[in-house]
Amino acid sequence: MSAEVIYGSELAQSLRDEMKEEVNGLRNKGIIPGLTVVLIGEDPASKSYVRGKQKASDYVGVDSELIELPESTTQEELLSLIDTLNNKDSVHGILVQLPLPAQIDEEVIIEAISPEKDVDGFHPISIGRMMTGKDTFYPCTPYGIIQMMKSKNISLEGKHAVVLGRSNIVGKPVGQLLLSENATVTYCHSRTKNMEQYIASADILIVAVGKAHFLNGDHIKEGAIVIDVGVNRIEDGSLTGDVDFDSAKEKASYITPVPKGVGPMTITMLMHNTIKSAKKTNGLL
Ligand code: NAP
């Protein structure tokens, strides 16, 4: 078998085209979705992610503002800025780019953002709402992954989904969303014993470990769906995923590439959440 490749980049483009039209309609009603991104310090990867978010905002018509602060910014200064943004009507989404400098506690910052503007979906209230099946902002990467599978009409119900990785931003929430879709979910992590046995029984494999080519085709079940979340820079400077694409492709029925896979969908879901927030604020949802 040779898997069908799910290009997140293509789905992202068509969703962004739809969003562009929707935002046009909102703007005609005087509603301008607004996203404020806060970037602290000079981390090149963070700068590149922020550029991608601004590009997507410009494309779909979201008003995006970038606030750049020095590496020396204190927690109090950042909290004060968040307070201002929480109370600013033109701002529908607030995103503080992670990671933060050591003097700032990430959890304190995440919890300071109003859950009604938490377009990253990282606030404990957003996560609690997601877990209890209430309307909320879903974390962008997990939400994008579900959309990618749905775009191929892949039924998730009753499937055994194995999630490799249990971070708060990818592993845990993607498992939760799969559970909401009636999949049976197993989490594997660095302390999991005999991980191969779980991998071998997976109908769906979500790989979010952060290690280049962590998973190859050896233990994958014939026909499995393989979603590669990893983004790893290797020695030659290029980006590669957590999955050895060539060997996994021979066993899988569907597989996502890196780049052009999950990454573009993450940013697209951020746009979705920002537009949703603007609509909610204006009583359209
Ligand atoms: P993370 O916070 O570092 O979490 C990695 C997870 O992998 C942890 O749960 C860890 O287990 C587990 N793990 C590490 N080594 C393992 C091993 N040998 N066997 C089994 N499990 C192992 O990473 P993350 O933030 O979830 O990100 C994961 C990857 O996705 C990274 O490459 C990141 O760059 C990428 N990413 C991509 C996007 C996108 O939009 N494309 C978005 C976010 C992240 P423990 O919990 O036991 O330590």
Side-chain angles (χ1 to χ4, degrees):
M1 181 178 275
S2 184
E4 181 179 336
V5 181
I6 312 177
Y7 286 100
S9 49
E10 288 174 8
L11 177 60
Q13 184 58 49
S14 71
L15 290 173
R16 287 181 199 189
D17 286 337
E18 286 173 19
M19 289 176 193
K20 190 177 178 162
E21 278 205 20
E22 187 179 16
V23 172
N24 223 348
L26 289 174
R27 281 179 171 260
N28 287 339
K29 292 186 188 130
I31 299 167
I32 303 169
L35 171 69
T36 297
V37 176
V38 182
L39 173 65
I40 301 180
E42 303 293 329
D43 178 51
S46 293
K47 283 192 160 189
S48 152
Y49 291 138
V50 165
R51 269 198 304 277
K53 288 163 188 174
Q54 290 208 286
K55 214 173 121 192
S57 299
D58 290 347
Y59 188 81
V60 303
V62 163
D63 221 359
S64 95
E65 176 194 25
L66 172 63
I67 299 179
E68 291 183 88
L69 298 173
E71 187 78 28
S72 59
T73 302
T74 65
Q75 183 162 300
E76 287 63 37
E77 284 166 337
L78 184 53
L79 285 172
S80 157
L81 172 63
I82 290 171
D83 186 49
T84 305
L85 297 172
N86 280 341
N87 290 299
K88 198 169 164 186
D89 289 345
S90 60
V91 175
H92 302 105
I94 303 170
L95 185 151
V96 178
Q97 185 65 45
L98 304 178
L100 294 171
Q103 72 275 15
I104 302 178
D105 184 334
E106 258 174 36
E107 279 178 38
V108 171
I109 298 307
I110 288 171
E111 292 196 27
I113 295 171
S114 161
E116 310 320 314
K117 299 189 179 189
D118 174 37
V119 286
D120 247 345
F122 292 166
H123 194 293
I125 289 180
S126 305
I127 292 164
R129 285 177 178 158
M130 177 181 70
M131 290 195 72
T132 50
K134 304 223 167 60
D135 184 47
T136 187
F137 300 116
Y138 295 144
C140 300
T141 301
Y143 192 23
I145 290 170
I146 300 293
Q147 297 308 314
M148 285 170 87
M149 289 192 278
K150 286 195 168 173
S151 76
K152 295 291 176 188
N153 294 317
I154 294 168
S155 160
L156 305 175
E157 185 162 328
K159 296 263 166 68
H160 183 205
V162 174
V163 182
L164 308 186
R166 56 170 168 180
S167 70
N168 288 337
I169 62 167
V170 186
K172 282 181 197 161
V174 79
Q176 192 59 47
L177 290 181
L178 286 161
L179 184 63
S180 312
E181 298 287 341
N182 297 319
T184 303
V185 181
T186 301
Y187 291 96
C188 295
H189 45 79
S190 67
R191 315 290 167 85
T192 300
K193 293 194 170 67
N194 302 323
M195 198 155 42
E196 295 78 13
Q197 82 187 40
Y198 300 108
I199 292 170
S201 76
D203 302 309
I204 299 169
L205 268 162
I206 312 283
V207 192
V209 168
K211 296 199 162 116
H213 300 178
F214 178 78
L215 181 79
N216 63 32
D218 287 354
H219 303 289
I220 298 176
K221 186 160 96 176
E222 198 72 37
I225 296 148
V226 178
I227 308 289
D228 188 355
V229 188
V231 179
N232 308 288
R233 199 166 288 283
I234 51 174
E235 277 165 21
D236 68 5
S238 64
L239 292 179
T240 193
D242 286 356
V243 175
D244 176 41
F245 184 82
D246 292 336
S247 66
K249 189 171 185 277
E250 293 311 310
K251 291 266 199 78
S253 57
Y254 290 93
I255 190 165
T256 65
V258 177
K260 297 191 175 178
V262 172
M265 284 301 291
T266 296
I267 297 182
T268 304
M269 293 303 107
L270 175 68
M271 296 298 112
H272 168 91
N273 283 348
T274 305
I275 297 165
K276 178 176 172 172
S277 178
K279 280 162 58 180
K280 277 183 110 169
T281 309
N282 287 280
L284 297 177
L285 279 181

